[in-house]
């Protein structure tokens, strides 16, 4: 009996060892599968970030020798009125953009999630609303540049023919209207994306809440304010932060729709456009790298503040 027990224990131990070996071999194969992604991620993501950080402490024109100058670029950045003006321009464009974009996305979400309306054809509307987001920024810039042309634009012609204006409006030649135009274009391009995200959040909420509220006689605004809005808070946080990150990095439309340096009167000179021109037009790559990290820290602080403002108050209430 003892001999048989010893043999069975030996077989069990052998099976455990062989299974451990086979599992370790499988794990090694797993590392091989993720290796291509890891290599590409390190080369095209991590290395540029670290390289930019290093260049932000140097004087470098894009070619030639690199001179280490410590924190001089960051000291210059703090005192650079051009950078702060470009950041203010960016905030103006983003502020108008986010109000229009999220306002329209919210309105559409309320309409399509209303239990009483029961709107049909949601999939068709989702595709139509998201369509502007699929159009290349170059095409959008040239399209609106042609529509808003001062002398030959279709918009001015329509307004003149209808008698709404008596003289042509230079939409892209005046600071106020130029900022408004770029903000409206951005809202038109991105409201569909915000709508899809918000609508996905609404569809993830249990219908039992809405049915119970409807039976109790709650109105649509009460349902939206007491059920939909609180349960959408995680989605709203995501939309707010991604909108903030994207808005403070706006570049393509202002760059393409103007002369590339922020005309008129520098009103469309955004932070990233200033960064781009500093690096590739004025050949000051070291200072441009410092601008990039300065903008990164500003976005990080604003994102943290947004997160704290949306969730900090709730935590304080729970503690009380």
């Amino acid at each position: 009996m003892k001999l048989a027990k010893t043999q069975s224990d030996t077989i069990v131990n052998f099976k455990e060892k062989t299974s451990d070996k086979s599992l370790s071999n499988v794990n090694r194969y797993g590392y091989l599968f993720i290796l291509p992604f890891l290599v590409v991620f390190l080369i095209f993501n991590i290395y540029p970030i670290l390289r930019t950080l290093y260049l932000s402490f140097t004087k470098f024109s894009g070619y030639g020798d690199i001179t280490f100058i410590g924190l001089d670029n960051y000291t210059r950045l703090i005192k650079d009125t051009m950078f702060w003006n470009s950041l203010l321009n960016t905030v103006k464009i983003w502020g108008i953009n986010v109000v229009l974009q999220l306002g329209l996305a919210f309105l559409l979400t309320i309409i399509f999630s209303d239990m009483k309306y029961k709107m049909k054809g949601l999939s068709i509307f989702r595709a139509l609303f998201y369509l502007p987001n699929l159009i290349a920024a170059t095409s959008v810039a040239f399209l609106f540049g042609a529509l808003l042309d001062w002398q030959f634009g279709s918009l001015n012609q329509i307004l003149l023919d209808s008698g709404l204006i008596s003289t042509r409006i230079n939409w892209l030649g005046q600071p106020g209207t130029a900022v408004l135009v770029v903000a409206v274009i951005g809202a038109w391009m991105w409201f569909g994306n915000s709508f899809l995200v918000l609508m996905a959040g609404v569809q993830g909420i249990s219908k039992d809440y809405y049915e119970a509220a409807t039976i109790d006689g709650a109105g649509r605004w009460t349902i939206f304010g007491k059920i939909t809005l609180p349960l959408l808070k995680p989605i709203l946080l995501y939309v707010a932060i991604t909108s903030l990150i994207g808005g403070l990095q706006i570049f393509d439309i202002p760059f393409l729709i103007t002369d590339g340096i922020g005309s008129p009167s520098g009103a469309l000179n955004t932070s990233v456009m200033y960064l781009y021109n500093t690096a590739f037009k004025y050949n000051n790559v070291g200072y441009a790298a410092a601008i990039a990290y300065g903008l990164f820290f500003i976005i990080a602080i604003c994102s943290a503040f947004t997160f704290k403002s949306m969730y900090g108050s709730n935590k304080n209430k729970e503690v009380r």
Side-chain angles (χ1 to χ4, degrees), residues 12 21 48 94 97 117 130 161 182 189 205 213 231 236 246 262 275:
V12 169
K21 288 181 180 180
W94 173 76
N97 181 348
Y117 286 142
Y130 192 73
D161 293 341
V182 172
M189 290 180 67
I205 299 172
L231 294 177
L236 288 173
L275 185 158

Side-chain angles (χ1 to χ4, degrees), residues 274-288:
Y274 180 55
L275 185 158
Y276 176 87
N277 288 326
T278 300
F280 300 109
K281 187 172 183 179
Y282 306 117
N283 297 322
N284 195 343
V285 176
Y287 184 55

Side-chain angles (χ1 to χ4, degrees), residues 90-244:
T90 307
V91 171
K92 287 179 182 178
I93 296 171
W94 173 76
I96 300 171
N97 181 348
V98 75
V99 170
L100 295 175
Q101 179 192 148
L102 294 185
L104 184 56
F106 252 120
L107 179 62
L108 292 171
T109 303
I110 294 170
I111 293 172
F112 281 95
S113 63
D114 197 299
M115 294 290 292
K116 295 179 181 178
Y117 286 142
K118 294 182 179 180
M119 294 288 291
K120 297 181 180 180
L122 178 59
S123 58
I124 298 174
F125 284 105
R126 278 189 298 201
L128 291 175
F129 295 154
Y130 192 73
L131 187 60
N133 190 243
L134 301 177
I135 305 173
T138 308
S139 302
V140 172
F142 281 110
L143 171 64
F144 279 92
L147 291 174
L148 302 173
D149 184 76
W150 183 22
Q151 295 179 330
F152 307 106
S154 301
L155 181 59
N156 273 337
Q157 192 61 48
I158 292 171
L159 294 175
L160 284 170
D161 293 341
S162 60
L164 295 175
I165 59 174
S166 58
T167 58
R168 297 180 184 274
I169 300 174
N170 192 358
W171 297 100
L172 301 175
Q174 303 174 102
T177 54
V179 169
L180 181 61
V181 164
V182 172
V184 170
I185 292 173
W188 174 73
M189 290 180 67
W190 289 99
F191 86 92
N193 181 73
S194 299
F195 167 70
L196 287 182
V197 175
L198 291 174
M199 201 64 205
V202 169
Q203 290 178 336
I205 299 172
S206 175
K207 300 299 181 185
D208 296 339
Y209 297 123
Y210 295 109
E211 291 174 358
T214 303
I215 292 171
D216 290 341
R220 58 174 59 94
W221 290 110
T222 303
I223 292 173
F224 182 79
K226 299 294 184 180
I227 298 176
T228 306
L229 198 58
L231 294 177
L232 270 182
K233 233 175 187 181
I235 305 298
L236 288 173
L237 176 66
Y238 169 79
V239 172
I241 291 179
T242 52
S243 175
L244 174 68

Side-chain angles (χ1 to χ4, degrees), residues 3-33:
L3 180 62
K5 186 177 181 181
T6 305
Q7 289 177 347
S8 63
D9 291 341
T10 304
I11 293 171
V12 169
N13 291 333
F14 176 76
K15 287 182 178 179
E16 289 178 353
K17 290 179 180 179
T18 54
S19 61
D20 290 341
K21 288 181 180 180
S22 61
L23 286 174
S24 62
N25 290 332
V26 171
N27 291 336
R28 291 193 188 98
Y29 290 136
Y31 289 123
L32 290 176
F33 279 113

